Amino acid sequence: MATLVSKLPTRHAFQTDDKNLLPIARKVLAGERLNFDDGVALYRSGDILAVGWLANHVREQINGNTAYFNVNRHINPTNVCVASCRLCAFGRKKDAPGTYTMALEEAWETAASGYTEAVTEFHIVGGLHPELPFEYFMDLVRGLKLRFPQVHIKAFTMVEVAFLAKRGKMTIAETLQAMKDAGVDSLPGGGAEIFADRVRHIICDHKIDGSEWLETARTAHKLGLRSNATMLYGHIEDDEDRVDHLLKLRAVQDETSGFQTFIPLAFHPGNTALEHLPTTTGMLDLRQIAVGRLLLDNFAHIKAYWQMMTPKIAQIALRFGADDIDGTVIEEKIYHDAGATTPQGMRRADLVRLITEAGREPYERDTLYRAVTRSEDAFTIAV
Ligand code: SF4
């Protein structure tokens, strides 16, 4: 068993009996960037605890003992979608059973309903509706800003932005600027899936391709709109596809510094065209968090999204490289249509308990990672 000593006050020295991890550990402890082969070796290592130790080391260097969460609400204005992604259980064709499209008043009422603690963020994503005009989405955002001026609006994935650009006959930059003018404050990270064409053609061939996703993110960042970045794993991708995806995100982040958080999303096959595939295991979920933390050395935050990986695995992930577990969510539709068995939302107190029992310090953040101070029914953001 080989050991290496870190300069951080860690609980024990790095230990592994996987000789392939030793050169990687030396790089991590020296603060050096990992390469493609290192990423593949991390995915293939049999010593998950050693991989987790390294990721935890980096996580504590960047974020100390803090674990972030927020009080947010998801709003999915429509599940009508022109695409037929095999990975998806949420989108439906226009006249299919179970479709819905919220009237604007309904969306604004949804935003205000069912939760007593003041939310600091609306997370808005939905289907690619063939008939809703561009202005519907801008009015939705304007109406929310009017009614909830303090709430940060994180809206529309890169895929939706590209679709809205087509609907509005505008460039991507013009679309993003119009969204910004309407009140969009930042973008979520969805729709990235896996960038490799081979995989993308099978799981979501109607979506923009990987380079268009990255270019849309780049354009958003240049306009001052920050975004998150995701990766859907646990379907037909291989280790090389995962590393390729992470390194492409890292390259854009080197250029723009516009990504806030990396969020690996565990694939839920239920009710999708890939229903024959198994769900992810806890070990893969933890490894994904750890490798993300180690390869994405220019990302400040790695999120263990509790809705996707269960609260229990998300809690453990706070020791495998994650520093964020997302928020209250309140009403999640997309993964529950795919058979997720997690609750649709969590109370603030539950999130605090998960974090505290992981031995981390809970820190309520707004979308931009600023501290939120809360009284009974209001909040203040440190700016
Ligand atoms: S993943 Fe998104 S774009 Fe694809 S079918 Fe589902 S809602 Fe539509």
Side-chain angles (χ1 to χ4, degrees):
M1 168 99 46
T3 62
L4 293 173
V5 179
S6 96
K7 293 197 183 102
L8 275 185
T10 46
R11 285 146 205 86
H12 60 77
F14 175 76
Q15 296 182 337
T16 187
D17 46 17
D18 177 355
K19 65 177 177 22
N20 293 326
L21 281 186
L22 282 175
I24 298 173
R26 284 197 191 91
K27 280 189 184 177
V28 171
L29 295 179
E32 287 172 26
R33 177 161 271 197
L34 302 184
N35 62 28
F36 189 94
D37 291 340
D38 296 330
V40 173
L42 287 166
Y43 275 117
R44 300 211 174 133
S45 174
D47 194 349
I48 182 70
L49 289 179
V51 173
W53 188 100
L54 291 172
N56 190 54
H57 170 83
V58 174
R59 178 248 194 266
E60 290 184 354
Q61 271 190 323
I62 298 173
N63 290 297
N65 202 32
T66 302
Y68 297 92
F69 70 98
N70 72 347
V71 176
N72 62 347
R73 173 183 259 291
H74 284 204
I75 302 172
N76 308 119
T78 180
N79 65 352
V80 174
C81 190
V82 291
S84 308
C85 302
R86 287 192 181 87
L87 61 83
C88 182
F90 172 73
R92 287 163 173 71
K93 291 288 175 227
K94 192 164 70 82
D95 298 318
T99 55
Y100 73 86
T101 299
M102 291 180 180
L104 289 174
E105 285 294 343
E106 189 188 349
W108 298 327
E109 273 168 32
T110 299
S113 68
Y115 201 65
T116 50
E117 285 180 301
V119 300
T120 60
E121 171 191 283
F122 294 131
H123 168 101
I124 307 171
V125 298
L128 310 178
H129 197 294
E131 285 162 11
L132 283 178
F134 181 72
E135 278 309 309
Y136 165 90
F137 295 96
M138 298 307 102
D139 288 343
L140 170 66
V141 171
R142 278 188 214 104
L144 286 172
K145 264 293 176 222
L146 193 68
R147 288 162 179 80
F148 310 94
Q150 270 195 292
V151 178
H152 182 107
I153 298 184
K154 172 158 69 76
F156 312 128
T157 65
M158 307 306 163
V159 176
E160 290 171 276
V161 171
F163 184 75
L164 290 176
K166 269 198 196 135
R167 294 276 305 143
K169 297 189 174 40
M170 293 187 283
T171 64
I172 296 287
E174 288 165 349
T175 307
L176 287 162
Q177 187 60 52
M179 284 168 42
K180 201 174 161 186
D181 294 343
V184 170
D185 297 302
S186 72
L187 275 66
E193 320 308 0
I194 284 278
F195 294 139
D197 287 341
R198 176 187 66 79
V199 177
R200 215 169 171 86
H201 283 152
I202 296 170
I203 64 171
C204 57
D205 57 346
H206 300 119
K207 273 187 181 163
I208 54 173
D209 66 23
S211 54
E212 288 171 296
W213 191 99
L214 291 161
E215 185 53 33
T216 305
R218 199 181 270 119
T219 308
H221 298 169
K222 284 180 182 159
L223 287 170
L225 285 164
R226 306 204 74 194
S227 79
N228 290 334
T230 60
M231 176 173 110
L232 188 76
Y233 67 93
H235 41 89
I236 58 163
E237 85 289 3
D238 60 24
D239 293 337
E240 283 82 358
D241 297 325
R242 294 173 186 160
V243 175
D244 170 73
H245 187 98
L246 292 169
L247 296 193
K248 281 179 173 146
L249 290 176
R250 189 171 79 181
V252 171
Q253 183 75 330
D254 276 343
E255 279 176 54
T256 69
S257 303
F259 290 122
Q260 298 209 100
T261 313
F262 171 64
I263 313 161
L265 300 174
F267 177 55
H268 283 256
N271 302 320
T272 74
L274 300 171
E275 203 165 21
H276 57 285
L277 295 176
T279 54
T280 63
T281 63
M283 281 300 175
L284 178 60
D285 294 337
L286 292 174
R287 187 186 298 272
Q288 188 52 61
I289 289 285
V291 180
R293 178 63 285 169
L294 288 166
L295 286 188
L296 297 176
D297 53 12
N298 52 7
F299 276 61
H301 303 287
I302 305 291
K303 186 184 288 183
Y305 181 27
W306 65 264
Q307 283 271 5
M308 298 290 272
M309 52 176 62
T310 76
K312 289 181 181 181
I313 295 289
Q315 184 187 38
I316 299 168
L318 293 174
R319 296 268 157 199
F320 275 75
D323 59 278
D324 191 320
I325 58 169
D326 200 67
T328 49
V329 178
I330 303 179
E331 188 182 12
E332 203 290 320
K333 291 189 203 299
I334 294 174
Y335 306 114
H336 286 82
D337 280 355
T341 55
T342 47
Q344 287 218 324
M346 273 218 271
R347 291 176 310 145
R348 187 179 179 281
D350 297 328
L351 294 170
V352 168
R353 183 168 152 250
L354 276 182
I355 291 170
T356 308
E357 290 193 6
R360 298 297 192 194
E361 287 164 18
Y363 184 110
E364 184 179 345
R365 60 165 178 86
D366 74 345
T367 313
L368 302 174
Y369 284 83
R370 298 173 301 190
V372 173
T373 313
R374 189 169 284 278
S375 62
E376 191 70 13
D377 58 358
F379 61 84
T380 316
I381 293 168
V383 286

